[in-house]
Amino acid sequence: MPDRPVHRSADERALAQALAEAPANASVIPVRSLHGRHGLKVASQVLLGLAIGLLIWEVFALVLNSNGSPLGFPYPLETFERLGEYLFAGRSLYGHSIYEHLLASIQHLLVAFALAMVVGIVLGSVLGYFGRIYAIGMVPVSIYQMIPGLAWLPVAILMFGLGDDSAVFIIFAVSSMVITIGVSSGIRMVPPVLVQAAKMMGASGAAIFCRVLVPQASASIVNALRLGMSSAWRVLIAAEMIVGTGVGLGYSIQLTRDLLDYMGSFACITIICLVGLLIDRVVLAWAERAMRQRLGLEEA
Amino acid sequence: MTLLELSHVSQAFFTDRKRTRAMVALHDVSLSIEEGEFVSLLGPSGCGKTVTLSLMAGFLQPTEGQVTFKGHPIAKPDPHRGVVFQEYSLMPWLTVRQNLLFALRSSAKALGHPFEKTSAIRRADEALAQVGLAHAADRRPNTLSGGMRQRVAIARLLAMDSDVFLMDEPFSALDEQTRSELDRSLFELWRRDRKTIVFVTHNISEAVAMSSRIVLFSSSPGRIIDQWRLDEDFDRTPGSPAARALADQIRALLPSTFDSNDELEGATIT
């Protein structure tokens, strides 16, 4: 019986070809075109995933609308069309352009996140560094962290009344606790041997903190900021929906829903999703990778 | 001159979270290290040899008894007593040279010496040359092999010019060949400079190959059971009659479970 040919993947074929073309004693050889093909593969995976997501949405809408729902469940295409009108044709979303809504949301986000970052890094560092304070300090932190974002609403309203400040407070309350926990655990995860080595070399407490703990933990710190940002983004929309900020993407979802303009709501949800992805996957993921590489925690 | 002295030192640790039981890691240990000695602390695991080293470094305070350095009780770690740890302890975000500069800057500050960068760089590079790693000065620790990392850790102490090198099984994570290479170069270093070295190991042949004195510990609780001084002209070559006789003598003092085995722990036979 003849042997069946062994199946070889594209990677294996490319390597075999590179090997055949390379000089006999080379230890590192160039491989043609694999890199571009890899990018293509990732892109096609992302596109396929997107297409499946949209298909599910489409089927959902078809089924729901076939039952004769009076309002009409928006289809993907018409939602994108509407989004295009908001983005490019200057269609107003109840008095403000979508950019104004987006800008307002980002402003809420950045103010709250900046405050949360300062509080989270300082508090997290103190808790992470001082073992004795950690046991005590983690009690309130973990209690506050258990409070879901919107449960802060009465607190926010009592402190700031209706409006922007309340939304900012809610975002801050959630995000600062997430960052605190991430930063403190990052500092506590620094291998004790590095701290011992620094002590042996005579480093002071402050030097150990600034020149050993923080650099070694900085990848975890960036990761904590990333988690803080994504929880902030999530609660931002909910906070705007409820406290009546007057402008903002969350507020627009609420408004369009109240006015039964579901397609408008869907368009807002879509842009929220896109911006969130952009912040997390592109900006923060890049920062985290760059940090790990700079720190020598990852092979370059 | 006596550099380090433990007098009647006992050390106990809690063994459970409720703190109702304690383990005695060291019981009434007295030991002094003279300047220029190469002392190996040898023993099976759990015999308190690492605890002894931590006491000498100043990471631990004795439960009972006193540990002194040049006659003064040790309050905390300092650069006079340099440590090479069993685990890799280079700062991963710094290059090899920057790691040495970090050590030089910290120790200068701690000892109240002025720190001058140009001369510090020269000293760092000299120390690297001494361990044969001048070419690796600009590399990051994660690009170095385990043996190279431990050589940098030794260079760090050479650069700081510590009075005593406290080495806690520094080569135990390395493969056999690298370990014996590093053993040889450490011994050469000692023969040339006569740095005081305290070297913790559980490997009998490693101790015999390098030490000017071997201190044998027994476990549970850790005690010193015997000591041997090795003369200048002692034939340390692995497998030589003298080395083999000494190793046999040491082995005879240990519990029979270990007697067929040079490694006092684990299953490796060397």
Side-chain angles (χ1 to χ4, degrees):
Chain A
M1 198 165 72
D3 284 345
R4 277 184 39 196
V6 180
H7 175 76
R8 307 182 84 189
S9 70
D11 286 3
E12 286 167 336
R13 284 196 303 273
L15 282 175
Q17 196 188 349
L19 208 55
E21 289 167 2
N25 275 329
S27 64
V28 177
I29 54 176
V31 182
R32 255 186 299 161
S33 76
L34 260 187
H35 188 72
R37 216 179 283 168
H38 178 72
L40 215 65
K41 196 169 156 188
V42 171
S44 61
Q45 282 167 340
V46 170
L47 283 178
L48 190 64
L50 264 179
I52 290 173
L54 290 176
L55 189 71
I56 292 172
W57 178 0
E58 180 81 33
V59 170
F60 229 81
L62 277 173
V63 171
L64 286 172
N65 288 334
S66 72
N67 289 348
S69 156
L71 283 171
F73 192 94
Y75 290 97
L77 265 182
E78 50 181 11
T79 302
F80 292 143
E81 220 168 284
R82 173 69 77 87
L83 184 62
E85 286 170 26
Y86 287 141
L87 286 173
F88 307 116
R91 178 168 174 167
S92 144
L93 238 168
Y94 305 98
H96 298 279
S97 76
I98 197 155
Y99 296 108
E100 283 168 324
H101 285 296
L102 181 60
L103 209 68
S105 288
I106 288 181
Q107 206 177 341
H108 295 149
L109 182 81
L110 287 185
V111 171
F113 183 72
L115 289 172
M117 189 163 97
V118 172
V119 169
I121 290 183
V122 170
L123 193 58
S125 301
V126 169
L127 290 178
Y129 184 60
F130 298 104
R132 284 181 196 166
I133 302 182
Y134 182 79
I136 302 163
M138 277 315 277
V139 177
V141 169
S142 25
I143 290 172
Y144 289 144
Q145 198 250 339
M146 283 312 286
I147 301 175
L150 288 187
W152 285 102
L153 184 70
V155 183
I157 302 269
L158 272 178
M159 288 169 75
F160 299 104
L162 286 173
D164 286 359
D165 292 348
S166 279
V168 167
F169 173 78
I170 292 174
I171 301 161
F172 163 80
V174 169
S175 165
S176 60
M177 291 302 115
V178 171
I179 297 174
T180 302
I181 290 174
V183 169
S184 63
S185 77
I187 294 218
R188 287 168 63 86
M189 273 182 346
V190 171
V193 71
L194 295 184
V195 176
Q196 282 196 322
K199 281 185 181 161
M200 172 271 288
M201 296 183 266
S204 63
I208 288 176
F209 180 75
C210 300
R211 307 195 53 183
V212 179
L213 295 179
V214 169
Q216 174 72 21
S218 56
S220 331
I221 294 174
V222 174
N223 183 259
L225 294 179
R226 191 176 165 187
L227 289 175
M229 177 58 97
S230 68
S231 57
W233 183 249
R234 235 162 262 159
V235 76
L236 160 81
I237 302 306
E240 285 180 349
M241 285 173 78
I242 292 189
V243 297
T245 48
V247 58
L249 290 172
Y251 181 75
S252 337
I253 293 182
Q254 181 65 17
L255 202 64
T256 45
R257 195 198 73 97
D258 287 348
L259 298 168
L260 303 183
D261 176 14
Y262 280 92
M263 215 187 297
S265 304
F266 273 52
C268 291
I269 294 174
T270 309
I271 191 158
I272 284 165
C273 170
L274 291 178
V275 173
L277 268 177
L278 189 77
I279 295 176
D280 184 66
R281 291 297 158 83
V282 180
V283 180
L284 293 172
W286 169 82
E288 199 179 330
R289 246 196 333 272
M291 189 64 88
R292 294 186 69 84
Q293 230 168 54
R294 201 180 69 78
L295 289 173
L297 300 178
E298 217 164 64
E299 308 298 321
Chain B
M1 189 179 92
T2 304
L3 267 192
L4 280 162
E5 187 155 28
L6 280 75
S7 46
H8 303 289
V9 167
S10 296
Q11 188 75 40
F13 296 103
F14 287 112
T15 52
D16 57 347
R17 281 176 59 115
K18 288 184 188 159
R19 314 207 156 197
T20 55
R21 282 151 60 88
M23 180 197 65
V24 182
L26 281 182
H27 178 75
D28 195 23
V29 167
S30 293
L31 173 69
S32 60
I33 310 287
E34 303 296 317
E35 199 170 354
E37 276 195 294
F38 189 137
V39 180
S40 286
L41 309 182
L42 175 70
S45 78
C47 71
K49 50 197 193 302
T50 296
V51 172
T52 306
L53 206 76
S54 297
L55 286 163
M56 290 174 172
F59 294 128
L60 284 176
Q61 287 299 316
T63 317
E64 244 177 41
Q66 200 178 38
V67 186
T68 57
F69 175 66
K70 294 184 174 169
H72 304 288
I74 293 169
K76 61 182 175 65
D78 72 49
H80 292 303
R81 299 179 307 282
V83 182
V84 178
F85 298 88
Q86 185 171 12
E87 301 151 278
Y88 303 134
S89 60
L90 304 177
M91 309 297 160
W93 60 94
L94 300 177
T95 65
V96 165
R97 185 187 286 117
Q98 286 167 341
N99 260 288
L100 266 59
L101 289 176
F102 180 103
L104 284 167
R105 189 181 288 118
S106 305
S107 62
K109 215 167 165 190
L111 304 176
H113 298 163
F115 175 79
E116 209 264 301
K117 192 156 183 194
T118 351
S119 67
I121 291 176
R122 190 167 351 103
R123 243 167 102 178
D125 288 350
E126 278 167 17
L128 285 176
Q130 264 181 287
V131 297
L133 283 180
H135 61 281
D138 293 313
R139 286 168 65 177
R140 287 280 188 84
N142 62 347
T143 67
L144 303 180
S145 69
M148 289 164 92
R149 290 181 209 200
Q150 293 302 64
R151 280 200 272 167
V152 177
I154 295 171
R156 189 156 67 178
L157 307 194
L158 289 171
M160 291 195 299
D161 198 24
S162 301
D163 293 324
V164 54
F165 287 15
L166 304 171
M167 309 182 76
D168 185 9
E169 309 203 30
F171 312 138
S172 63
L174 308 175
D175 63 89
E176 194 46 47
Q177 195 189 340
T178 315
R179 165 153 79 180
S180 56
E181 254 168 52
L182 287 181
D183 280 350
R184 260 199 311 281
S185 43
L186 179 65
F187 187 58
E188 279 312 308
L189 200 74
W190 175 76
R191 274 228 279 235
R192 209 172 51 227
D193 298 351
R194 295 292 156 160
K195 274 282 177 196
T196 313
I197 295 177
V198 182
F199 189 94
V200 164
T201 179
H202 58 255
N203 185 301
I204 297 175
S205 36
E206 194 175 35
V208 171
M210 297 196 287
S211 325
S212 70
R213 176 154 58 117
I214 296 175
V215 178
L216 183 63
F217 282 72
S218 72
S219 54
S220 331
R223 281 198 187 91
I224 292 175
I225 40 180
D226 214 336
Q227 304 196 31
W228 295 266
R229 273 175 206 287
L230 282 62
D231 300 332
E232 258 335 274
D233 49 5
F234 180 85
D235 185 3
R236 291 178 171 79
T237 329
S240 77
R244 216 182 302 162
L246 179 57
D248 287 341
Q249 208 183 332
I250 293 170
R251 216 170 279 129
L253 290 170
L254 289 164
S256 56
T257 37
F258 297 118
D259 65 3
S260 62
N261 212 326
D262 248 5
E263 289 276 340
L264 299 178
E265 297 152 321
T268 349
I269 299 172
T270 47

